[in-house]
Amino acid sequence: MKKFLNATDTLLTESLGGFALAHADIIELSAPPYVIRRKQPKQVGKVALISGGGSGHEPLHTGLVGLGMLDAACPGQIFTSPTPDQMLAAAQAVDTGGGVLFIVKNYAGDVMNFEIAAELLDSPNATVLVNDDVAIPKSQSTGRRGVAGTLIVEKIVGAAAEQGADLAACKALGERVNQNTASMGVALSSCTVPALGNPTFTLGEQEMEMGVGIHGEHGRATLPLTTASAITAQLAAHIDDDLKPQANAQALLHINGFGATPLMELYLIYALAAEHWQQQGVNIVRSLVGNYTTSLDMAGCSITLTLLDDEMLRLWDAPVHTAQLRWGC
Amino acid sequence: MKKFLNATDTLLTESLGGFALAHADIIELSAPPYVIRRKQPKQVGKVALISGGGSGHEPLHTGLVGLGMLDAACPGQIFTSPTPDQMLAAAQAVDTGGGVLFIVKNYAGDVMNFEIAAELLDSPNATVLVNDDVAIPKSQSTGRRGVAGTLIVEKIVGAAAEQGADLAACKALGERVNQNTASMGVALSSCTVPALGNPTFTLGEQEMEMGVGIHGEHGRATLPLTTASAITAQLAAHIDDDLKPQANAQALLHINGFGATPLMELYLIYALAAEHWQQQGVNIVRSLVGNYTTSLDMAGCSITLTLLDDEMLRLWDAPVHTAQLRWGC
């Protein structure tokens, strides 16, 4: 294992310290329990948006705390759910009377711990469960994972909350975004979790892992490596099966790198995916290309398509000011 | 070699097509010769800023074209200088009478080709040569390379040009930023150039390459892998030898990933580097952490320190709207 670190058990805390120092104008770190919270002023009574999950997916979620997006993020240990006390501390720190919306990726540990936190919390709260990963068939939908579409839920609901939407409206909107979002990923390598020291799976020189998640777990199938066009077609077909985009629909196309794949390759995938949907008459009206929901040092990418109604589009365009996603301010 | 591609000789053009499609609101691609040019309106007579170089360093330079930064970028083949006809086409496309400033990383091919373009160009022009890489001692300063500090030159001069600075002022400012900028990099792996198909150098499981450039060339020394603290101290010592920052100086600290290193590790390096300079009394007033000047899929990072005077700080903060760097608008 070759990584920049002093010790595997201090990597996360040292890194969080650097993150807090680098972005001291917009966020602050409370510890322990570890919470990254928004520092910028906000309206009293705004719904507080909180997310979190295992670390190793940066910039998700810590890099997405700030104006127009999350009020707080709870970073767990690498690929490990944060604890209910982190979530509770986050909620108590950022709730200003408008209630708390938890945005939770659909993993058993995260779901359980956010449920415990919600029960312990005195103030009004609700949860949006994100499960955009279509690698797992709909018939097993209880097991569908939350992956790169989570950022899109957080951005759109974050804008609505900033503009004064109440808790019920934010929850309904988040669920609408999630229902209109589908993602599918492919890996060319595994990742190496520092505490383990070795890749969590191995692939041959001519193999790829199709339908992979973001925790170094095996995907749907190990397949022979093929062209970017054929890979994109496979990913897009799964998304089409799920979302069934109509001609003239407007959509956001997000190509997400898992951490070790150059932008040059991500933009190639973008070109191929955009062409795929344009041929179906889908209007790709917004794009996001880069490493946003990563899996440590994994080589690979995912394609996410979100069908946007006019309100979702307007909220996507609204100002956002976080450490790693920023526009309009 | 495991990469997303259809064919090695079409990767760049397909990727540029995707880039142009994803960011059609702010840039456009002319081809051939390939030029990414700014689409947003600008003041007639504004100095036109043009950069370029071998591809494989994305988002540098194509991702930095737009309001407040570059007017055009010329992408060469991977790790290969663009051609004079690309540079000439770029200059003719974006010059509106204020003259052209070429921002050139100090590599023999780039320098020669930009010189040829400058000679062929009818309109007034000047060049800023960036050579911020302190891995090569000052005594061999003709050979110092331009690396991650290039982005800082482009941002600060881009803001000045946007605000109406003339050609001579932009050139002088660019040279001042370059003189106040020092970078040093370390790699944990080589990168793989698609056309070659194999890593350009190999490192043992317990080795790192210190003083590495951004083209997969060997660095200053192959050394035993050590702690992040010891690595940071080595990089910072070389920067200190060159820049000799004074107590109470204000500085921008840029931790740049080479492509395959997770943000978590980059923020750890940030924490250690910031602590190093804080102990010397240097005020780290701005930061940039992420993959900006990459070397395809290389694991590693560089540290860049820029000593900022008040004008440079104000220009760093000025609005910028490019594909991969954006704030204030």
Side-chain angles (χ1 to χ4, degrees):
Chain A
M1 174 179 68
K2 299 178 80 172
K3 291 179 185 290
F4 295 117
L5 48 77
N6 287 323
T8 54
D9 58 355
T10 61
L11 171 59
L12 176 61
T13 53
E14 288 182 277
S15 176
L16 285 171
F19 178 80
L21 205 57
H23 304 291
D25 53 330
I26 54 169
I27 58 91
E28 63 189 328
L29 172 66
S30 323
Y34 291 107
V35 173
I36 296 282
R37 56 179 283 198
R38 167 177 169 173
K39 219 177 187 177
Q40 302 131 312
K42 59 178 179 178
Q43 287 217 299
V44 173
K46 182 187 105 62
V47 172
L49 261 58
I50 297 175
S51 192
S55 294
H57 308 303
E58 290 70 29
L60 190 82
H61 301 273
T62 50
L64 306 175
V65 174
L67 188 150
M69 215 156 166
L70 298 177
D71 290 276
C74 307
Q77 290 294 317
I78 292 175
F79 294 174
T80 302
S81 172
T83 54
D85 65 319
Q86 281 177 276
M87 301 159 183
L88 196 60
Q92 289 164 344
V94 300
D95 181 21
T96 60
V100 173
L101 186 68
F102 294 114
I103 300 179
V104 183
K105 301 196 299 303
N106 191 27
Y107 298 97
D110 289 344
V111 171
M112 183 183 70
N113 287 331
F114 273 105
E115 275 176 4
I116 293 171
E119 282 169 21
L120 293 171
L121 186 64
D122 286 331
S123 47
N125 64 82
T127 295
V128 172
L129 204 62
V130 183
N131 62 350
D132 56 312
D133 186 356
V134 298
I136 292 156
K138 253 192 169 157
S139 55
Q140 302 169 35
S141 64
T142 51
R144 272 173 56 153
R145 303 168 291 204
V147 289
T150 312
L151 177 149
I152 299 167
V153 174
E154 292 175 356
K155 170 68 188 79
I156 291 176
V157 179
E162 200 75 41
Q163 294 176 12
D166 68 14
L167 184 60
C170 287
K171 176 180 165 69
L173 175 65
E175 288 173 345
R176 195 164 99 232
V177 177
N178 180 58
Q179 280 159 12
N180 283 285
T181 297
S183 301
M184 175 101 170
V186 59
L188 303 186
S189 78
S190 176
C191 55
T192 297
V193 177
L196 298 179
N198 289 300
T200 49
F201 61 81
T202 53
L203 288 173
E205 257 311 295
Q206 294 301 321
E207 289 180 335
M208 62 183 182
E209 193 72 11
M210 179 59 69
V212 78
I214 54 173
H215 294 97
E217 69 273 48
H218 267 288
R220 192 166 167 156
T222 304
L223 299 175
L225 183 59
T226 180
T227 63
S229 290
I231 292 169
T232 305
Q234 284 189 52
L235 296 172
H238 284 279
I239 292 171
D240 285 341
D241 277 352
D242 184 84
L243 264 192
K244 303 192 182 358
Q246 304 294 304
N248 298 319
Q250 59 187 3
L252 162 66
L253 176 55
H254 174 29
I255 309 299
N256 172 59
F258 286 145
T261 291
L263 271 182
M264 185 184 290
E265 296 173 45
L266 299 181
Y267 278 112
L268 165 63
I269 300 290
Y270 181 88
L272 299 167
E275 186 189 10
H276 169 89
W277 278 299
Q278 280 166 349
Q279 283 177 352
Q280 294 185 24
V282 175
N283 296 319
I284 305 293
V285 294
R286 293 293 181 273
S287 67
L288 185 70
V289 181
N291 293 284
Y292 290 98
T293 301
T294 60
S295 182
L296 292 170
D297 54 356
M298 179 181 273
C301 73
S302 59
I303 299 178
T304 298
L305 192 75
T306 297
L307 300 176
L308 295 170
D309 58 35
D310 290 341
E311 183 190 20
M312 285 158 59
L313 176 57
R314 181 179 59 75
L315 293 168
W316 176 260
D317 286 343
V320 60
H321 184 177
T322 68
Q324 296 281 348
L325 196 74
R326 183 172 176 185
W327 56 73
C329 53
Chain B
M1 175 179 67
K2 299 178 80 170
K3 290 179 186 290
F4 295 116
L5 46 77
N6 287 322
T8 54
D9 58 354
T10 61
L11 171 59
L12 176 61
T13 52
E14 288 182 277
S15 176
L16 284 171
F19 179 80
L21 205 57
H23 304 291
D25 53 331
I26 54 167
I27 57 93
E28 63 189 328
L29 172 68
S30 322
Y34 291 106
V35 173
I36 297 282
R37 56 179 285 199
R38 167 176 168 172
K39 218 177 189 178
Q40 301 131 313
K42 57 179 176 178
Q43 285 218 300
V44 173
K46 182 187 104 63
V47 172
L49 260 58
I50 297 176
S51 192
S55 294
H57 308 302
E58 289 70 28
L60 190 82
H61 301 273
T62 49
L64 306 175
V65 174
L67 188 150
M69 215 157 166
L70 298 176
D71 291 276
C74 307
Q77 291 295 316
I78 291 174
F79 294 175
T80 302
S81 173
T83 55
D85 66 318
Q86 281 177 277
M87 300 159 184
L88 196 61
Q92 289 164 344
V94 299
D95 181 20
T96 59
V100 173
L101 186 69
F102 294 115
I103 299 178
V104 183
K105 300 196 299 303
N106 191 29
Y107 298 97
D110 289 343
V111 171
M112 184 183 71
N113 287 331
F114 272 106
E115 275 177 4
I116 294 170
E119 282 168 18
L120 293 171
L121 187 62
D122 286 331
S123 48
N125 63 84
T127 295
V128 171
L129 205 62
V130 183
N131 63 350
D132 55 312
D133 186 357
V134 298
I136 294 158
K138 250 190 172 160
S139 55
Q140 302 169 34
S141 65
T142 52
R144 272 173 56 154
R145 302 168 292 205
V147 289
T150 311
L151 177 149
I152 299 167
V153 174
E154 292 175 358
K155 171 67 187 79
I156 290 177
V157 180
E162 200 76 41
Q163 294 175 13
D166 68 15
L167 185 58
C170 285
K171 176 180 164 68
L173 175 65
E175 290 173 344
R176 195 164 97 232
V177 177
N178 180 57
Q179 281 159 11
N180 283 284
T181 297
S183 300
M184 175 101 173
V186 60
L188 303 186
S189 79
S190 176
C191 55
T192 297
V193 178
L196 300 179
N198 289 301
T200 51
F201 62 81
T202 52
L203 287 173
E205 257 308 297
Q206 293 303 319
E207 289 179 336
M208 62 181 181
E209 194 71 11
M210 180 58 67
V212 79
I214 55 174
H215 294 98
E217 68 273 47
H218 265 290
R220 192 166 167 156
T222 305
L223 298 176
L225 182 59
T226 179
T227 62
S229 290
I231 292 169
T232 304
Q234 285 188 51
L235 297 172
H238 284 279
I239 291 171
D240 284 339
D241 278 351
D242 184 84
L243 220 47
K244 302 191 183 1
Q246 303 295 303
N248 298 318
Q250 57 185 4
L252 162 66
L253 176 56
H254 174 27
I255 308 299
N256 172 60
F258 286 144
T261 291
L263 271 183
M264 187 185 290
E265 295 174 46
L266 299 181
Y267 278 113
L268 165 63
I269 300 289
Y270 181 87
L272 299 168
E275 187 189 10
H276 169 89
W277 278 298
Q278 281 166 348
Q279 282 177 355
Q280 294 184 24
V282 174
N283 295 319
I284 305 294
V285 294
R286 293 295 181 273
S287 67
L288 186 69
V289 182
N291 292 285
Y292 290 98
T293 300
T294 60
S295 183
L296 293 168
D297 53 355
M298 179 182 273
C301 75
S302 58
I303 299 178
T304 297
L305 191 76
T306 297
L307 301 177
L308 296 170
D309 57 34
D310 290 342
E311 182 189 20
M312 286 157 61
L313 177 58
R314 181 180 57 77
L315 293 167
W316 176 261
D317 286 343
V320 60
H321 184 176
T322 69
Q324 296 280 348
L325 196 73
R326 184 172 175 185
W327 56 73
C329 53

